[in-house]
Amino acid sequence: MKHDPDSIQKMLRLKRHERPPEGFFEDFLSEFQVRQRNVLLREPLWRIALDRIGAFFTTDRRAQWAYGTATIAVVAVAGYSVLPAGGPSPTTERVVSAPTPAAETFVATGPSALVSGEFAPLSVPGAGPQPPGDPSADARPHYVIDARPVSYAPPYRF
Amino acid sequence: MTAAFAAPFSAGFNPAWDSAKVRPRMEDPSRAEDNDLVARTQAGDATAFDRLVVKYSPRIYAVVYNMTANHEDTSDLLQDIFARAFRAIKGFRGKSSFSTWLHSIAINFTINFLRKRGRRHTVSLNDVDAGIERDEEFIEMTSPDTPRRAHELREIQMRITDAMMKLSEDHRAVVTLHDVQGLSHPEISKILGISEGTVRSRLFYAHQKLQKYLNDLREP
């Protein structure tokens, strides 16, 4: 079968004369506008916002660079304002470097000490010199009762 | 001096070609108008897009109708195509013409629709304008008797439409854009995103197929 593209193309060109029903294009624009409005009314707000943001950042690259730079600047300023001026705070230093206060041992000064509450610090042999009064060691002394209470002491001696 | 004057010509200098390179190309007035309307749409002027819709709806209708052969499907698709174009127009950079861009959206939308729909379809024939009465090919194919001619016109339309629908979507697209719309091979290659060689080969294959389907229409 001999291929005759010219005759085929002539036949196909007849299709250029085909038209939709009369008035179709006159009504098309108004129908399109109504449909667009309905779509916008039905669309959720987050989707419209997403479309707008996406369109904004795809239109102008200068806007992208400007907003990127502005975001970095805002983050940098916010970060700098959170950090305190002049280095770490004194309270931080005290908390970090404060030594644990030496535990002081107290013994009852006499039988009546337990009643009256009189206790004196006990110097334990081998414990080393007690550190001088450290103004930072304001912690409460820890009481360790080594001596046996009077009530437990045997009433007699052999 | 004569030798110096002749030297550029002897070296292959072509004044006509090089002067065309130097002279700025005049922009197509239609394309300039489209660019202006697109810029205004991107700036927020919705009436500018309305003008683009009015300008391109007949052309896009023809493309879609020749792909689907159904008026109702074409009408729905036309709405979707322009809605998609409106949403995407902010990202239109002008690397191609607006016409090429819009045709590309139309073809992609239509091919996706046809592939989802499958082979089942109902053909609805459109009316024809009065210009067909003066078309030489039409006159050659039909009888001089006017009532009979009208009947034969419908028959020819049906046969051509049926033959087109037997082609694959890709082949139908190149036939629609080239033979019905009158677009060139470079334009079609940009619209479809294929090489010009592929456009030519698809056209050749499609014409062979249509020749087989429509052969009896050419017989006396």
Side-chain angles (χ1 to χ4, degrees):
Chain A
M1 184 183 304
K2 191 179 171 185
H3 175 57
D4 185 9
D6 202 37
S7 65
I8 293 296
Q9 286 172 344
K10 283 180 184 174
M11 270 198 283
L12 289 170
R13 273 199 288 273
L14 289 176
K15 291 184 78 58
R16 293 184 191 182
H17 296 284
E18 289 179 355
R19 295 286 180 270
E22 203 173 322
F24 174 80
F25 293 118
E26 283 79 14
D27 298 334
F28 178 75
L29 180 62
S30 54
E31 283 172 13
F32 174 69
Q33 288 167 342
V34 166
R35 185 170 155 155
Q36 283 293 94
R37 278 199 292 271
N38 290 340
V39 165
L40 276 174
L41 284 171
R42 280 200 304 267
E43 217 166 39
L45 191 62
W46 64 266
R47 193 181 167 87
I48 296 173
L50 206 64
D51 277 346
R52 291 265 187 251
I53 292 166
F56 179 78
F57 283 109
T58 51
T59 45
D60 193 346
R61 290 215 179 267
R62 285 177 297 177
Q64 288 179 43
W65 285 111
Y67 275 84
T69 309
T71 306
I72 291 168
V74 165
V75 168
V77 166
Y80 183 77
S81 63
V82 167
L83 284 175
S89 61
T91 53
T92 309
E93 189 174 25
R94 275 204 295 277
V95 169
V96 169
S97 61
T100 51
E104 285 191 270
T105 308
F106 291 82
V107 294
T109 52
S112 60
L114 285 174
V115 176
S116 64
E118 293 172 358
F119 291 90
L122 172 69
S123 60
V124 177
Q130 293 291 323
D134 189 355
S136 65
D138 291 331
R140 288 176 298 171
H142 294 253
Y143 295 96
V144 178
I145 300 175
D146 286 338
R148 295 173 73 190
V150 173
S151 61
Y152 286 105
Y156 52 86
R157 275 191 185 179
F158 292 101
Chain B
M1 189 174 168
T2 309
F5 184 73
F9 288 91
S10 63
F13 173 70
N14 185 335
W17 179 72
D18 284 326
S19 64
K21 263 174 66 175
V22 169
R23 187 177 64 241
R25 218 173 62 176
M26 295 288 287
E27 198 177 0
D28 175 21
S30 175
R31 186 165 176 172
E33 185 195 12
D34 288 350
N35 289 341
D36 176 59
L37 289 171
V38 167
R40 282 167 52 190
T41 306
Q42 288 172 336
D45 183 3
T47 58
F49 190 78
D50 291 345
R51 286 183 56 185
L52 287 168
V53 170
V54 168
K55 181 178 176 183
Y56 282 99
S57 51
R59 217 178 300 184
I60 300 298
Y61 178 93
V63 169
V64 177
Y65 175 74
N66 281 297
M67 294 285 292
T68 62
N70 183 281
H71 172 67
E72 283 71 32
D73 290 341
T74 303
S75 180
D76 291 338
L77 279 169
L78 208 61
Q79 294 275 352
D80 291 338
I81 287 162
F82 280 107
R84 171 62 70 88
F86 185 68
R87 289 171 87 115
I89 201 162
K90 283 269 189 181
F92 176 69
R93 302 254 190 280
K95 288 179 187 172
S96 63
S97 68
F98 177 78
S99 172
T100 301
W101 182 73
L102 188 61
H103 275 85
S104 184
I105 293 174
I107 291 284
N108 288 333
F109 241 85
T110 308
I111 289 179
N112 287 340
F113 167 79
L114 289 170
R115 284 179 180 159
K116 279 182 199 167
R117 187 183 71 173
R119 284 278 168 187
R120 50 185 173 80
H121 64 271
T122 51
V123 172
S124 57
L125 296 183
N126 269 346
D127 300 330
V128 289
D129 65 11
I132 200 169
E133 300 287 338
R134 297 184 292 276
D135 194 297
E136 287 176 7
E137 181 63 23
F138 175 67
I139 293 167
E140 200 180 304
M141 286 177 69
T142 54
S143 65
D145 180 6
T146 307
R148 218 174 138 193
R149 181 178 278 179
H151 172 73
E152 285 170 350
L153 167 63
R154 290 311 253 194
E155 198 182 319
I156 290 166
Q157 268 187 288
M158 184 66 84
R159 293 293 304 279
I160 296 175
T161 302
D162 275 347
M164 288 269 286
M165 294 308 288
K166 285 178 184 169
L167 298 173
S168 71
E169 291 87 11
D170 292 333
H171 290 101
R172 207 180 313 150
V174 291
V175 168
T176 299
L177 293 172
H178 183 264
D179 297 315
V180 182
Q181 294 285 290
L183 298 179
S184 64
H185 293 172
E187 285 172 308
I188 296 171
S189 76
K190 281 183 200 167
I191 289 169
L192 299 180
I194 55 178
S195 67
E196 286 185 43
T198 306
V199 172
R200 278 190 280 271
S201 67
R202 283 187 190 175
L203 266 176
F204 180 78
Y205 177 84
H207 287 159
Q208 275 194 317
K209 284 284 186 185
L210 290 172
Q211 173 86 17
K212 194 171 75 171
Y213 300 142
L214 297 170
N215 212 26
D216 56 341
L217 273 182
R218 300 293 299 141
E219 284 171 5

